[in-house]
Structures are given as C-alpha cells and as structure tokens.
Amino acid sequence: MTPDGFVRDYSLVADASPAMVLRYNVQMSTGVGLAPATLDRLAQHPKIVGIKESGGTTFLLALCVGADGWILALAGLVPDLRERLMTLVTEGRLAEARSLQRRLNLLARSAGTIDGVPGLKVGLDLRGLAGGAPCEPLVPAPSSVVEDRQQPKALELPVRG
C-alpha cells in the first residue's frame, strides 16, 4: 500500500459508510503503516474521526500530545489503570504516568504481543471477567499460558469477584 492507496481506500469506505469511520494502523500484522503525512490527509475527511493505533503501547505519548482517549484491548483488562494514566497526565504528574506506562507496557507485551488475543482472553478470565475462547481461526491459549498468568508478577492486577 502506498499513501495514496491508503487515502483512496479509507475515503471510499468513509464515503459509503452511514457511520463515522476510524482508521486502523496495525503495522505489526500488515507490514505497512500509516505515516503521519497520510494521517493528516485522512484527517481532512469529515467522516474519518479517529485512529486505532496498534503500533505499540503509545497511549502516554498520545495523551501528552492531545489525544482524548484510545481504543485499547488492554483497557478491557485493566480499566482502572487506564483511567489512572489519563488522570495522571491530566494532572501533569508525568513522572508517575511514565512509571505506570512502563508497568502497562509489560502487561501489553504479555497479553497482546506475545500471546495475542488468546492471551488477552486468558487475562480477562483470570480477572473474573468473561474472556472466553477467541473467535476462529484463532485457537485458545495453551495451558502453559494460563499457568504462567496465574503466577505472581511484578504487575499485580486486581481481580473482580
């Protein structure tokens, strides 16, 4: 995909959609990414209203430059920590926010990058939430992932119950 290809593709979808559209940048899966100049071009379309950035755990940086929030699978696992990060940034407590971001990075790599959606589902199940099995073609995480997630970690997660 070229920048012009991205702009054409997203614009065609947005033009045909009755709803607002989010761009989705997931370079680790697609091998291509949306460059800042391309994002600027897409931001001009009245029905393209945001982006789901899956290029890494960049939410602290995004908040610091004016993002209002984010779409993040990890937020379903630790909504309290997501809210805490937003509060710390809003209050200008950036050293604390950076510390929390580092903790969240560890969890994101474990629940997302390493084991993907199946690992995230395990995390939700262990918190007492309904993670369940992933949709096909994905398969459930192996029992070793479940056992690993049950071990005490540096990032303690509260359990609902």
Side-chain angles (χ1 to χ4, degrees):
M1 287 291 284
T2 64
D4 288 340
F6 277 122
V7 170
R8 185 191 75 241
D9 188 53
Y10 277 107
S11 295
L12 287 171
V13 169
D15 289 343
S17 174
M20 298 298 176
V21 173
L22 291 173
R23 297 159 295 198
Y24 190 7
N25 194 30
V26 61
Q27 187 168 353
M28 67 185 152
S29 295
T30 65
V32 293
L34 295 169
T38 305
L39 294 173
D40 286 343
R41 288 174 60 194
L42 290 168
Q44 304 308 310
H45 195 290
K47 290 176 82 178
I48 300 176
V49 296
I51 183 170
K52 177 171 179 8
E53 171 59 54
S54 293
T57 49
T58 58
F59 24 90
L60 174 58
L61 297 174
L63 289 173
C64 288
V65 296
D68 294 321
W70 59 87
I71 301 166
L72 181 66
L74 187 59
L77 186 56
V78 287
D80 46 339
L81 297 181
R82 177 209 53 90
E83 184 64 31
R84 177 81 177 136
L85 182 63
M86 290 184 77
T87 298
L88 290 171
V89 170
T90 300
E91 293 175 354
R93 297 163 57 190
L94 297 183
E96 291 174 75
R98 279 191 301 274
S99 177
L100 178 54
Q101 175 70 68
R102 283 191 292 274
R103 292 175 61 209
L104 288 169
N105 287 350
L106 293 172
L107 181 61
R109 279 192 293 277
S110 174
T113 307
I114 296 171
D115 299 311
V117 171
L120 183 62
K121 298 278 193 170
V122 168
L124 290 167
D125 285 339
L126 292 175
R127 286 218 47 215
L129 303 169
C135 296
E136 291 184 1
L138 299 176
V139 297
S143 60
S144 61
V145 171
V146 177
E147 292 164 11
D148 180 60
R149 294 281 158 59
Q150 291 173 327
Q151 302 301 315
K153 300 283 184 190
L155 177 61
E156 292 296 322
L157 299 177
V159 176
R160 288 190 182 170

